[in-house]
Amino acid sequence: NDDLTISYARLNNSRDTAAEDEEMTHIAASYTMGSIKFAGYIAKASSVSGVAGDDDAQKHLTMSLTF
């Protein structure tokens, strides 16, 4: 049984005490084929905690087998 899932999220976090709005973008995907699953995501954030120029990025990839 094959299954493909894709998701996308965008978040804008505004704080009264921060100079900049925190912005986050996240895209994820997974594919399952029988007992094998591949999954991964890419996430980017800018103005983390409202600090201008404080940017972050994450990437993650997994493969799992079920017996």
Side-chain angles (χ1 to χ4, degrees):
N1 210 7
D2 293 353
D3 186 32
L4 175 66
T5 304
I6 299 174
S7 65
Y8 175 80
R10 187 171 180 99
L11 173 69
N12 187 2
N13 186 16
S14 177
R15 296 182 186 186
D16 293 338
T17 58
E20 296 284 324
D21 288 349
E22 182 177 22
E23 296 177 0
M24 292 178 264
T25 304
H26 183 113
I27 186 166
S30 68
Y31 178 70
T32 305
M33 180 177 57
S35 64
I36 301 172
K37 178 178 181 178
F38 296 95
Y41 69 84
I42 297 173
K44 292 184 180 181
S46 62
S47 301
V48 176
S49 297
V51 178
D54 188 6
D55 300 337
D56 190 24
Q58 295 181 358
K59 299 174 186 171
H60 187 77
L61 182 63
T62 60
M63 181 187 86
S64 59
L65 302 170
T66 305
F67 295 99

